[in-house]
PDB file of all heavy atoms in Angstrom:
ATOM      1  N   ASP U   1     123.326 103.427  68.544  1.00  0.00           N
ATOM      2  CA  ASP U   1     122.555 102.167  68.277  1.00  0.00           C
ATOM      3  C   ASP U   1     123.093 101.074  69.246  1.00  0.00           C
ATOM      4  O   ASP U   1     122.235 100.273  69.794  1.00  0.00           O
ATOM      5  CB  ASP U   1     122.757 101.637  66.844  1.00  0.00           C
ATOM      6  CG  ASP U   1     122.078 102.508  65.922  1.00  0.00           C
ATOM      7  OD1 ASP U   1     121.095 103.092  66.159  1.00  0.00           O
ATOM      8  OD2 ASP U   1     122.498 102.493  64.627  1.00  0.00           O
ATOM      9  N   ILE U   2     124.500 101.048  69.451  1.00  0.00           N
ATOM     10  CA  ILE U   2     124.973 100.060  70.457  1.00  0.00           C
ATOM     11  C   ILE U   2     124.447 100.396  71.861  1.00  0.00           C
ATOM     12  O   ILE U   2     124.115  99.417  72.582  1.00  0.00           O
ATOM     13  CB  ILE U   2     126.525 100.026  70.329  1.00  0.00           C
ATOM     14  CG1 ILE U   2     126.993  99.691  68.986  1.00  0.00           C
ATOM     15  CG2 ILE U   2     127.073  99.228  71.428  1.00  0.00           C
ATOM     16  CD1 ILE U   2     126.630  98.226  68.594  1.00  0.00           C
ATOM     17  N   ILE U   3     124.525 101.688  72.226  1.00  0.00           N
ATOM     18  CA  ILE U   3     124.012 101.996  73.584  1.00  0.00           C
ATOM     19  C   ILE U   3     122.531 101.592  73.761  1.00  0.00           C
ATOM     20  O   ILE U   3     122.164 101.013  74.780  1.00  0.00           O
ATOM     21  CB  ILE U   3     124.206 103.493  73.791  1.00  0.00           C
ATOM     22  CG1 ILE U   3     125.614 103.896  73.795  1.00  0.00           C
ATOM     23  CG2 ILE U   3     123.467 103.939  74.939  1.00  0.00           C
ATOM     24  CD1 ILE U   3     125.981 105.361  73.845  1.00  0.00           C
ATOM     25  N   PHE U   4     121.739 101.732  72.692  1.00  0.00           N
ATOM     26  CA  PHE U   4     120.326 101.435  72.838  1.00  0.00           C
ATOM     27  C   PHE U   4     120.158  99.956  73.029  1.00  0.00           C
ATOM     28  O   PHE U   4     119.314  99.375  73.877  1.00  0.00           O
ATOM     29  CB  PHE U   4     119.498 101.820  71.475  1.00  0.00           C
ATOM     30  CG  PHE U   4     118.214 101.201  71.334  1.00  0.00           C
ATOM     31  CD1 PHE U   4     117.162 101.706  72.030  1.00  0.00           C
ATOM     32  CD2 PHE U   4     118.037 100.029  70.529  1.00  0.00           C
ATOM     33  CE1 PHE U   4     115.847 101.086  71.945  1.00  0.00           C
ATOM     34  CE2 PHE U   4     116.841  99.429  70.375  1.00  0.00           C
ATOM     35  CZ  PHE U   4     115.665 100.066  71.068  1.00  0.00           C
ATOM     36  N   ILE U   5     120.944  99.038  72.258  1.00  0.00           N
ATOM     37  CA  ILE U   5     120.905  97.672  72.443  1.00  0.00           C
ATOM     38  C   ILE U   5     121.228  97.136  73.769  1.00  0.00           C
ATOM     39  O   ILE U   5     120.584  96.407  74.390  1.00  0.00           O
ATOM     40  CB  ILE U   5     121.666  96.905  71.245  1.00  0.00           C
ATOM     41  CG1 ILE U   5     121.173  97.206  69.933  1.00  0.00           C
ATOM     42  CG2 ILE U   5     121.777  95.492  71.663  1.00  0.00           C
ATOM     43  CD1 ILE U   5     119.730  96.765  69.640  1.00  0.00           C
ATOM     44  N   LYS U   6     122.301  97.795  74.274  1.00  0.00           N
ATOM     45  CA  LYS U   6     122.849  97.371  75.735  1.00  0.00           C
ATOM     46  C   LYS U   6     121.790  97.820  76.785  1.00  0.00           C
ATOM     47  O   LYS U   6     121.618  97.115  77.656  1.00  0.00           O
ATOM     48  CB  LYS U   6     124.171  97.901  75.839  1.00  0.00           C
ATOM     49  CG  LYS U   6     125.277  97.375  75.042  1.00  0.00           C
ATOM     50  CD  LYS U   6     126.633  98.016  75.291  1.00  0.00           C
ATOM     51  CE  LYS U   6     127.142  97.717  76.747  1.00  0.00           C
ATOM     52  NZ  LYS U   6     127.559  96.249  76.833  1.00  0.00           N
ATOM     53  N   SER U   7     121.106  98.957  76.633  1.00  0.00           N
ATOM     54  CA  SER U   7     120.203  99.386  77.575  1.00  0.00           C
ATOM     55  C   SER U   7     119.018  98.420  77.550  1.00  0.00           C
ATOM     56  O   SER U   7     118.424  98.279  78.546  1.00  0.00           O
ATOM     57  CB  SER U   7     119.788 100.773  77.291  1.00  0.00           C
ATOM     58  OG  SER U   7     119.000 100.894  76.130  1.00  0.00           O
ATOM     59  N   LYS U   8     118.544  97.882  76.402  1.00  0.00           N
ATOM     60  CA  LYS U   8     117.409  96.994  76.343  1.00  0.00           C
ATOM     61  C   LYS U   8     117.770  95.747  76.994  1.00  0.00           C
ATOM     62  O   LYS U   8     116.773  95.018  77.521  1.00  0.00           O
ATOM     63  CB  LYS U   8     117.080  96.847  74.880  1.00  0.00           C
ATOM     64  CG  LYS U   8     116.444  97.979  74.039  1.00  0.00           C
ATOM     65  CD  LYS U   8     115.080  98.181  74.571  1.00  0.00           C
ATOM     66  CE  LYS U   8     114.045  97.163  74.066  1.00  0.00           C
ATOM     67  NZ  LYS U   8     112.673  97.526  74.421  1.00  0.00           N
ATOM     68  N   ALA U   9     119.076  95.362  77.145  1.00  0.00           N
ATOM     69  CA  ALA U   9     119.357  93.971  77.641  1.00  0.00           C
ATOM     70  C   ALA U   9     119.772  94.092  79.141  1.00  0.00           C
ATOM     71  O   ALA U   9     120.196  93.130  79.706  1.00  0.00           O
ATOM     72  CB  ALA U   9     120.469  93.499  76.834  1.00  0.00           C
ATOM     73  N   GLN U  10     119.733  95.338  79.798  1.00  0.00           N
ATOM     74  CA  GLN U  10     120.084  95.385  81.147  1.00  0.00           C
ATOM     75  C   GLN U  10     119.312  94.553  82.134  1.00  0.00           C
ATOM     76  O   GLN U  10     118.091  94.256  81.799  1.00  0.00           O
ATOM     77  CB  GLN U  10     120.088  96.851  81.556  1.00  0.00           C
ATOM     78  CG  GLN U  10     121.199  97.787  80.963  1.00  0.00           C
ATOM     79  CD  GLN U  10     121.057  99.093  81.446  1.00  0.00           C
ATOM     80  OE1 GLN U  10     119.990  99.580  81.956  1.00  0.00           O
ATOM     81  NE2 GLN U  10     122.146  99.852  81.289  1.00  0.00           N
ATOM     82  N   ASN U  11     119.830  94.251  83.302  1.00  0.00           N
ATOM     83  CA  ASN U  11     119.064  93.576  84.245  1.00  0.00           C
ATOM     84  C   ASN U  11     118.544  92.194  83.898  1.00  0.00           C
ATOM     85  O   ASN U  11     117.432  91.869  84.138  1.00  0.00           O
ATOM     86  CB  ASN U  11     118.021  94.418  84.963  1.00  0.00           C
ATOM     87  CG  ASN U  11     118.588  95.744  85.498  1.00  0.00           C
ATOM     88  OD1 ASN U  11     119.627  95.745  86.152  1.00  0.00           O
ATOM     89  ND2 ASN U  11     117.893  96.847  85.200  1.00  0.00           N
ATOM     90  N   ASN U  12     119.378  91.414  83.187  1.00  0.00           N
ATOM     91  CA  ASN U  12     118.912  90.240  82.637  1.00  0.00           C
ATOM     92  C   ASN U  12     119.842  89.085  83.009  1.00  0.00           C
ATOM     93  O   ASN U  12     121.144  89.283  83.157  1.00  0.00           O
ATOM     94  CB  ASN U  12     118.853  90.239  81.042  1.00  0.00           C
ATOM     95  CG  ASN U  12     117.830  89.209  80.504  1.00  0.00           C
ATOM     96  OD1 ASN U  12     118.192  88.010  80.491  1.00  0.00           O
ATOM     97  ND2 ASN U  12     116.757  89.519  80.091  1.00  0.00           N
ATOM     98  N   ALA U  13     119.377  87.929  83.125  1.00  0.00           N
ATOM     99  CA  ALA U  13     120.309  86.711  83.485  1.00  0.00           C
ATOM    100  C   ALA U  13     121.336  86.443  82.351  1.00  0.00           C
ATOM    101  O   ALA U  13     122.411  86.065  82.584  1.00  0.00           O
ATOM    102  CB  ALA U  13     119.547  85.520  83.759  1.00  0.00           C
ATOM    103  N   VAL U  14     120.844  86.818  81.080  1.00  0.00           N
ATOM    104  CA  VAL U  14     121.746  86.600  79.899  1.00  0.00           C
ATOM    105  C   VAL U  14     122.408  87.873  79.510  1.00  0.00           C
ATOM    106  O   VAL U  14     121.790  88.872  79.364  1.00  0.00           O
ATOM    107  CB  VAL U  14     120.977  86.027  78.754  1.00  0.00           C
ATOM    108  CG1 VAL U  14     121.778  85.794  77.530  1.00  0.00           C
ATOM    109  CG2 VAL U  14     120.235  84.746  79.132  1.00  0.00           C
ATOM    110  N   GLU U  15     123.750  87.791  79.385  1.00  0.00           N
ATOM    111  CA  GLU U  15     124.520  88.927  78.849  1.00  0.00           C
ATOM    112  C   GLU U  15     124.463  89.093  77.293  1.00  0.00           C
ATOM    113  O   GLU U  15     124.668  88.022  76.638  1.00  0.00           O
ATOM    114  CB  GLU U  15     125.877  88.891  79.256  1.00  0.00           C
ATOM    115  CG  GLU U  15     126.784  90.085  78.785  1.00  0.00           C
ATOM    116  CD  GLU U  15     128.213  89.894  79.167  1.00  0.00           C
ATOM    117  OE1 GLU U  15     128.723  88.749  79.470  1.00  0.00           O
ATOM    118  OE2 GLU U  15     128.968  90.962  79.141  1.00  0.00           O
ATOM    119  N   LEU U  16     124.085  90.291  76.850  1.00  0.00           N
ATOM    120  CA  LEU U  16     123.957  90.376  75.371  1.00  0.00           C
ATOM    121  C   LEU U  16     125.175  91.343  74.900  1.00  0.00           C
ATOM    122  O   LEU U  16     125.434  92.316  75.353  1.00  0.00           O
ATOM    123  CB  LEU U  16     122.634  91.117  74.991  1.00  0.00           C
ATOM    124  CG  LEU U  16     122.425  91.335  73.435  1.00  0.00           C
ATOM    125  CD1 LEU U  16     120.907  91.332  73.234  1.00  0.00           C
ATOM    126  CD2 LEU U  16     123.081  92.563  72.886  1.00  0.00           C
ATOM    127  N   LEU U  17     125.913  90.701  73.931  1.00  0.00           N
ATOM    128  CA  LEU U  17     127.079  91.346  73.312  1.00  0.00           C
ATOM    129  C   LEU U  17     126.662  91.776  72.041  1.00  0.00           C
ATOM    130  O   LEU U  17     126.475  91.010  71.091  1.00  0.00           O
ATOM    131  CB  LEU U  17     128.245  90.309  73.273  1.00  0.00           C
ATOM    132  CG  LEU U  17     128.679  89.664  74.526  1.00  0.00           C
ATOM    133  CD1 LEU U  17     129.813  88.805  74.317  1.00  0.00           C
ATOM    134  CD2 LEU U  17     129.122  90.722  75.638  1.00  0.00           C
ATOM    135  N   PRO U  18     126.580  93.044  71.742  1.00  0.00           N
ATOM    136  CA  PRO U  18     126.136  93.602  70.474  1.00  0.00           C
ATOM    137  C   PRO U  18     127.288  93.661  69.307  1.00  0.00           C
ATOM    138  O   PRO U  18     128.417  93.875  69.652  1.00  0.00           O
ATOM    139  CB  PRO U  18     125.781  95.102  70.703  1.00  0.00           C
ATOM    140  CG  PRO U  18     126.507  95.394  71.883  1.00  0.00           C
ATOM    141  CD  PRO U  18     126.720  94.251  72.671  1.00  0.00           C
ATOM    142  N   ILE U  19     126.894  93.088  68.207  1.00  0.00           N
ATOM    143  CA  ILE U  19     127.795  93.161  66.975  1.00  0.00           C
ATOM    144  C   ILE U  19     127.243  94.143  65.983  1.00  0.00           C
ATOM    145  O   ILE U  19     126.187  94.108  65.525  1.00  0.00           O
ATOM    146  CB  ILE U  19     127.781  91.679  66.327  1.00  0.00           C
ATOM    147  CG1 ILE U  19     128.333  90.607  67.265  1.00  0.00           C
ATOM    148  CG2 ILE U  19     128.657  91.822  64.976  1.00  0.00           C
ATOM    149  CD1 ILE U  19     128.210  89.258  66.664  1.00  0.00           C
ATOM    150  N   GLY U  20     128.021  95.229  65.874  1.00  0.00           N
ATOM    151  CA  GLY U  20     127.716  96.298  64.970  1.00  0.00           C
ATOM    152  C   GLY U  20     127.937  95.996  63.594  1.00  0.00           C
ATOM    153  O   GLY U  20     128.690  95.094  63.166  1.00  0.00           O
ATOM    154  N   ALA U  21     127.216  96.698  62.774  1.00  0.00           N
ATOM    155  CA  ALA U  21     127.380  96.541  61.231  1.00  0.00           C
ATOM    156  C   ALA U  21     128.846  96.948  60.792  1.00  0.00           C
ATOM    157  O   ALA U  21     129.310  97.926  61.402  1.00  0.00           O
ATOM    158  CB  ALA U  21     126.366  97.295  60.545  1.00  0.00           C
ATOM    159  N   LEU U  22     129.373  96.310  59.859  1.00  0.00           N
ATOM    160  CA  LEU U  22     130.648  96.689  59.362  1.00  0.00           C
ATOM    161  C   LEU U  22     130.572  97.949  58.513  1.00  0.00           C
ATOM    162  O   LEU U  22     131.418  98.727  58.491  1.00  0.00           O
ATOM    163  CB  LEU U  22     131.276  95.459  58.507  1.00  0.00           C
ATOM    164  CG  LEU U  22     132.631  95.746  57.920  1.00  0.00           C
ATOM    165  CD1 LEU U  22     133.689  95.843  59.137  1.00  0.00           C
ATOM    166  CD2 LEU U  22     132.985  94.644  57.054  1.00  0.00           C
ATOM    167  N   THR U  23     129.506  97.959  57.708  1.00  0.00           N
ATOM    168  CA  THR U  23     129.377  99.172  56.815  1.00  0.00           C
ATOM    169  C   THR U  23     128.064  99.878  57.090  1.00  0.00           C
ATOM    170  O   THR U  23     127.162  99.292  57.703  1.00  0.00           O
ATOM    171  CB  THR U  23     129.301  98.686  55.326  1.00  0.00           C
ATOM    172  OG1 THR U  23     128.293  97.850  55.143  1.00  0.00           O
ATOM    173  CG2 THR U  23     130.676  97.960  54.933  1.00  0.00           C
ATOM    174  N   GLU U  24     127.999 101.176  56.628  1.00  0.00           N
ATOM    175  CA  GLU U  24     126.810 101.914  56.947  1.00  0.00           C
ATOM    176  C   GLU U  24     125.596 101.255  56.219  1.00  0.00           C
ATOM    177  O   GLU U  24     125.575 100.903  55.065  1.00  0.00           O
ATOM    178  CB  GLU U  24     126.966 103.378  56.239  1.00  0.00           C
ATOM    179  CG  GLU U  24     128.057 104.113  56.950  1.00  0.00           C
ATOM    180  CD  GLU U  24     128.279 105.500  56.328  1.00  0.00           C
ATOM    181  OE1 GLU U  24     127.516 105.719  55.280  1.00  0.00           O
ATOM    182  OE2 GLU U  24     128.942 106.388  56.819  1.00  0.00           O
TER     183      GLU U  24
END
C-alpha cells in the first residue's frame, strides 16, 4: 500500500509522505 501511494505521487512538485495505519 505504501509503495502504491508513493508511486502515485511521483514526478510532482509536492513531496507526499505516507502515514500507514497503526492497526490492521
